[in-house]
Amino acid sequence: MSRITDHPHPLAEYTDRIDPDAVYTVRQLAALLELAPSSVSGMAGYGWLPGSRVQPHRRGGRQYTWTGKQLKRLAGRRVKVSYDHDRYAPATLYRVGCRCSQCVHAHGVDSRNRRRALAEEAFPAEKRARLVEFVAAGTPVTEAAEKVGVSLSRVYGRANWDVAFAEDLDEAAWSLCVLGETNPACGTASGYRGNGEKRPACRGTGCREWRRSMSQQERAAA
């Protein structure tokens, strides 16, 4: 059984970011609202985005568009929402206040997929392959990141969730071992920190794995 509630329009909190002189497609509006394009199409189907115009798409077919002025006017309206999961997409219902487990999960998945799509655009497969090649040839990760034009945080951020890239990077980074992977000090505090001017700090895979393990233990203890 669904219940009907009165809510601010989903555009309301984005009013200041709407350019009144611009024309928005479904994808551009989805980017503004931080939603999937399918959710915006659903909103239009529910009658929450009236006044759209149909224009030819540059790749063929047609696309729906709204002017910024239209969107600003719509943002001031309130919408009546029925939390009907058979009719509305969970990600859309989350936007208008539903916090059931299904809608919370859908919002999390939608947000994660959007972040990963942006990450892929900023650090595509070609750049990842070049970075791994540089590291395998002995270039420190920091310098390799600069050569391919990405930040170090982007590299390690990708490695946190992309298992295949993390494995490739770890395999390549054995080339950075200061002591050599067979040395007993490889993968220890001494290896990671170095010994002043006598031996530089190591950022090879063995010592990085030691630092990673220690970080996990420190977070668990905290």
Side-chain angles (χ1 to χ4, degrees):
M1 183 176 181
S2 61
R3 59 187 179 90
I4 298 177
T5 58
D6 186 72
H7 283 275
H9 197 283
L11 284 168
E13 62 181 291
Y14 299 91
T15 304
D16 293 343
R17 294 166 55 183
I18 298 173
D19 181 353
D21 298 321
V23 174
Y24 291 82
T25 64
V26 169
R27 288 193 175 277
Q28 290 169 329
L29 190 50
L32 174 72
L33 295 172
E34 300 177 325
L35 287 172
S38 59
S39 293
V40 173
S41 297
M43 288 167 59
Y46 309 149
W48 297 353
L49 296 170
S52 62
R53 293 185 179 182
V54 179
Q55 294 186 354
H57 193 280
R58 60 186 175 84
R59 294 184 179 177
R62 300 179 301 170
Q63 63 180 347
Y64 290 91
T65 64
W66 296 262
T67 66
K69 290 181 180 179
Q70 284 178 307
L71 296 178
K72 279 185 171 289
R73 286 197 298 270
L74 291 173
R77 300 181 182 179
R78 295 184 71 84
V79 293
K80 291 188 179 296
V81 182
S82 170
Y83 289 163
D84 185 345
H85 291 78
D86 291 329
R87 180 183 180 191
Y88 299 107
T92 301
L93 288 177
Y94 180 92
R95 276 286 172 191
V96 292
C98 184
R99 293 298 184 267
C100 72
S101 59
Q102 181 183 1
C103 291
V104 169
H105 175 72
H107 173 70
V109 171
D110 193 54
S111 297
R112 182 191 65 203
N113 290 342
R114 185 174 60 255
R115 289 194 303 271
R116 291 187 176 180
L118 292 173
E120 182 65 26
E121 183 178 342
F123 191 21
E126 181 183 354
K127 285 189 175 183
R128 297 196 300 273
R130 286 173 55 209
L131 181 136
V132 168
E133 289 176 0
F134 282 132
V135 174
T139 303
V141 179
T142 301
E143 294 179 21
E146 291 178 357
K147 286 185 176 183
V148 301
V150 298
S151 66
L152 191 62
S153 61
R154 176 76 66 183
V155 173
Y156 288 124
R158 178 92 192 195
N160 282 337
W161 59 267
D162 186 336
V163 176
F165 173 65
E167 290 178 348
D168 288 344
L169 183 60
D170 277 348
E171 184 63 29
W174 281 110
S175 69
L176 304 178
C177 276
V178 172
L179 296 166
E181 57 187 283
T182 59
N183 191 294
C186 180
T188 66
S190 173
Y192 182 84
R193 294 167 182 160
N195 188 18
E197 296 182 357
K198 295 181 180 179
R199 176 168 51 80
C202 180
R203 293 300 179 265
T205 295
C207 289
R208 283 179 49 244
E209 286 181 347
W210 171 84
R211 179 63 258 181
R212 189 181 305 157
S213 175
M214 290 301 297
S215 295
Q216 291 172 349
Q217 293 179 35
E218 289 166 2
R219 287 195 297 270

